[in-house]
């Protein structure tokens, strides 16, 4: 905590509270009645903490003066919005959107049935301050959803973190059947294997993707539904096989031994030469075991992994990761109680998915590693390793 001087000034009928720093610069932290209530501390020494030029805590004699523990005032014009914003942020209040005026005149967010468009194109920017719900202020942020109810005894509080979405079963079934039919036409039904699998709990895919929000979610840009990309499925299965089957107690990394295995390289593909490093930074070179004209050659994987689509109406639910001691983890302060938690919300999905894999080269059942088929390895990888973020 740094030392400063608390200054109260009156400008007309308005009071303002400042912190005067050691370099004589001042930082405003309260206005109006909140500042007036601090008049007794005028010209008093105080302790304060700031981050990136913003005050996050002010104390005098261990009494916390800031942040102010007050309920946000909901103006009468916003009371009708209270339930909507509490329940989900995808309402019909266009004043919270940042879109061109002509677009805003035509836009009816409540009629958008594509969840990808609703989430990414009708972004709501909101700043909840002591003055109520302020659209388009300087401190506004893109919000997935915002709870305006602070009373923990509110009987409806469990319902406020919901995300509005509609995925009809007929629409979902049509997408799944269409993609399965396309896969059959591409490689033949006899060389295709499909299986429905359901996560134990909720699934998070694409958490770190580009997004105006702090977090993201993988949604099909046409259908607007959550799905698991084929590249993610292939990556999980490949990584699981490397670590479970090829790991040895040697200096060479497990992938070194995998890339020397013909069956592995036929299934997943390989370059004619690959450079790898172990945990100590030692470098190893491995050449492809698949030859062309007697020389190591590049090879495209023979097993095709397809995108996994939900087979039932997926449920989008929010979750949160909350760092209670941000300054401690940034090595600035010990883990003290006055640090402000920084909750980060993200979206998850519940539901069953159809996984489809196959080959255009030979018989699908002929591709095995360690006596197990790729479908068996897929089951093991998803069961023991999981897929997506937060699998630990």
């Amino acid at each position: 905590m740094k030392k400063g001087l608390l200054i109260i000034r009156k400008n007309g009928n308005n009071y303002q509270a400042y912190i005067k720093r050691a370099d004589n610069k001042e930082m405003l932290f309260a206005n109006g009645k909140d500042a007036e209530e601090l008049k007794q501390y005028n010209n008093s020494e105080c302790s304060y903490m700031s981050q990136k030029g913003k005050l996050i805590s002010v104390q005098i004699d261990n009494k916390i003066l800031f942040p102010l523990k007050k309920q946000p005032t909901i103006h009468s014009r916003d009371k009708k919005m209270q339930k909507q914003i509490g329940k989900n942020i995808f309402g019909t209040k266009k004043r919270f959107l940042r879109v061109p005026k002509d677009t805003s005149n035509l836009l009816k967010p409540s009629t958008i049935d594509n969840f990808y468009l609703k989430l990414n194109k009708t972004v709501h920017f909101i700043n909840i301050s002591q003055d109520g719900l302020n659209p388009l202020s300087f401190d506004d942020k893109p919000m997935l959803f915002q709870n305006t109810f602070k009373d923990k005894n509110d009987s409806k509080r469990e319902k406020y973190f919901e995300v509005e979405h509609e995925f009809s079963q007929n629409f979902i079934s049509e997408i799944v059947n269409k993609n399965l039919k396309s896969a059959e036409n591409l490689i033949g039904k006899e060389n295709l294997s499909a299986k429905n699998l359901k996560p134990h709990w909720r699934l998070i895919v694409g958490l770190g993707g580009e997004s105006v929000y702090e977090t993201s979610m993988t949604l099909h840009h046409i259908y607007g539904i959550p799905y698991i990309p084929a590249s993610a499925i292939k990556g999980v299965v490949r990584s699981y096989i490397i670590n479970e089957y090829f790991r040895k107690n040697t200096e060479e990394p497990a992938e070194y031994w995998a890339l020397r295995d013909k069956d592995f390289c036929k299934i997943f593909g390989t370059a004619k030469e690959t450079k790898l490093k172990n945990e100590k930074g030692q470098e190893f070179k491995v050449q492809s075991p698949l030859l062309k004209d007697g020389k190591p050659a590049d090879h495209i994987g023979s097993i095709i992994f397809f995108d996994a689509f939900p087979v039932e109406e997926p449920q989008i639910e929010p979750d949160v990761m909350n760092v209670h001691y941000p300054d401690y983890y940034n090595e600035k302060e010990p883990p003290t109680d006055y640090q402000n938690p920084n909750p980060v919300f993200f979206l998850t999905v519940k539901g069953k998915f159809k996984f489809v894999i196959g080959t255009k080269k030979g018989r699908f059942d002929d591709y095995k590693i360690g006596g197990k088929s790729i479908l068996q390895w897929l089951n093991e990888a998803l069961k023991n390793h999981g897929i997506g973020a937060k699998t630990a």
Side-chain angles (χ1 to χ4, degrees):
M1 299 284 283
K2 300 177 182 178
K3 298 295 183 180
L5 192 67
L6 194 152
I7 305 293
I8 306 295
R9 292 197 182 96
K10 186 177 181 181
N11 184 10
N13 294 324
N14 184 50
Y15 285 85
Q16 293 180 321
Y18 297 84
I19 294 298
K20 188 175 183 180
R21 308 186 315 195
D23 59 3
N24 289 324
K25 291 184 178 181
E26 296 181 348
M27 303 174 72
L28 175 68
F29 72 92
N31 267 305
K33 291 183 178 180
D34 296 315
E36 186 177 0
E37 291 176 359
L38 301 176
K39 286 192 301 181
Q40 58 180 309
Y41 300 108
N42 188 28
N43 291 318
S44 299
E45 289 188 359
C46 64
S47 301
Y48 72 93
M49 182 182 297
S50 63
Q51 187 174 8
K52 296 181 180 180
K54 290 187 177 181
L55 281 171
I56 58 176
S57 178
V58 178
Q59 297 183 30
I60 291 182
D61 296 330
N62 295 322
K63 181 179 181 180
I64 298 176
L65 304 181
F66 182 82
L68 302 164
K69 296 182 179 179
K70 293 199 172 187
Q71 304 295 335
T73 302
I74 306 297
H75 287 192
S76 59
R77 62 184 174 84
D78 290 316
K79 285 184 178 178
K80 292 182 180 179
M81 279 288 292
Q82 191 179 48
K83 187 175 181 180
Q84 280 185 283
I85 291 180
K87 185 175 181 181
N88 66 74
I89 210 64
F90 303 113
T92 58
K93 298 296 183 181
K94 293 184 287 186
R95 64 191 177 91
F96 291 105
L97 302 179
R98 282 186 173 175
V99 294
K101 186 175 181 180
D102 55 346
T103 303
S104 178
N105 292 336
L106 297 171
L107 188 62
K108 293 182 179 180
S110 60
T111 64
I112 300 176
D113 58 2
N114 186 302
F115 186 65
Y116 174 87
L117 295 178
K118 181 178 284 189
L119 180 68
N120 295 294
K121 302 302 181 183
T122 59
V123 180
H124 286 61
F125 290 82
I126 288 183
N127 172 36
I128 296 186
S129 70
Q130 296 175 41
D131 297 324
L133 299 172
N134 298 327
L136 306 182
S137 67
F138 289 107
D139 295 324
D140 56 1
K141 295 181 180 180
M143 295 294 221
L144 285 170
F145 40 83
Q146 178 65 52
N147 184 13
T148 61
F149 291 83
K150 302 298 183 181
D151 185 0
K152 65 180 181 180
N153 296 318
D154 193 324
S155 61
K156 297 180 180 179
R157 62 190 170 89
E158 297 299 333
K159 299 180 180 179
Y160 296 149
F161 288 115
E162 296 178 359
V163 180
E164 184 179 293
H165 60 277
E166 292 182 9
F167 304 118
S168 71
Q169 185 59 54
N170 290 338
F171 179 60
I172 295 296
S173 299
E174 183 180 348
I175 294 172
V176 172
N177 294 334
K178 179 180 178 181
N179 282 275
L180 183 60
K181 189 67 176 178
S182 296
E184 291 175 353
N185 292 337
L186 178 66
I187 62 179
K189 192 173 182 178
E190 66 280 0
N191 285 325
L192 198 70
S193 181
K195 188 168 185 178
N196 295 339
L197 298 170
K198 186 175 184 177
H200 289 297
W201 201 47
R202 303 202 295 261
L203 184 68
I204 314 162
V205 179
L207 182 66
E210 292 184 2
S211 173
V212 68
Y213 309 103
E214 289 184 87
T215 57
S216 184
M217 181 184 204
T218 299
L219 298 169
H220 198 279
H221 67 287
I222 295 177
Y223 304 136
I225 63 175
Y227 76 106
I228 308 174
S231 57
I233 301 170
K234 181 178 181 178
V236 165
V237 177
R238 183 181 186 276
S239 176
Y240 182 79
I241 293 174
I242 289 173
N243 287 293
E244 290 298 316
Y245 185 73
F246 290 102
R247 182 171 295 281
K248 299 181 180 182
N249 189 22
T250 62
E251 290 187 342
E252 293 85 358
E255 190 174 1
Y256 173 89
W257 301 108
L259 294 177
R260 289 169 59 93
D261 185 86
K262 285 186 177 181
D263 292 331
F264 180 88
C265 292
K266 285 179 181 178
I267 291 171
F268 293 102
T270 184
K272 61 182 178 182
E273 184 176 277
T274 305
K275 293 181 180 179
L276 302 169
K277 288 185 178 181
N278 63 10
E279 295 178 354
K280 298 179 181 178
Q282 295 174 295
E283 189 173 283
F284 299 89
K285 292 182 181 180
V286 55
Q287 292 185 330
S288 170
L290 306 178
L291 307 178
K292 183 177 181 180
D293 299 328
K295 298 180 180 179
D298 297 328
H299 180 75
I300 298 175
S302 299
I303 295 295
I304 301 173
F305 293 78
F306 294 87
D307 295 334
F309 287 95
V311 296
E312 58 189 15
E313 296 180 43
Q315 299 298 311
I316 306 294
E317 298 183 7
D319 208 327
V320 62
M321 41 189 169
N322 199 357
V323 179
H324 289 271
Y325 308 111
D327 293 332
Y328 170 69
Y329 291 109
N330 288 328
E331 299 181 352
K332 295 180 180 179
E333 296 280 347
T336 51
D337 290 338
Y338 55 73
Q339 296 181 35
N340 289 330
N342 182 27
V344 178
F345 296 99
F346 57 94
L347 299 180
T348 66
V349 60
K350 289 177 68 175
K352 189 181 296 183
F353 289 79
K354 183 177 286 293
F355 291 82
V356 182
I357 53 179
T359 183
K360 294 176 69 175
K361 301 177 181 178
R363 295 179 64 252
F364 177 73
D365 293 336
D366 291 339
Y367 289 95
K368 295 183 179 182
I369 295 177
K372 297 180 183 178
S373 69
I374 295 303
L375 189 60
Q376 288 176 301
W377 281 114
L378 172 67
N379 287 330
E380 277 193 30
L382 296 178
K383 181 179 179 181
N384 299 328
H385 182 277
I387 193 167
K390 307 296 180 184
T391 54

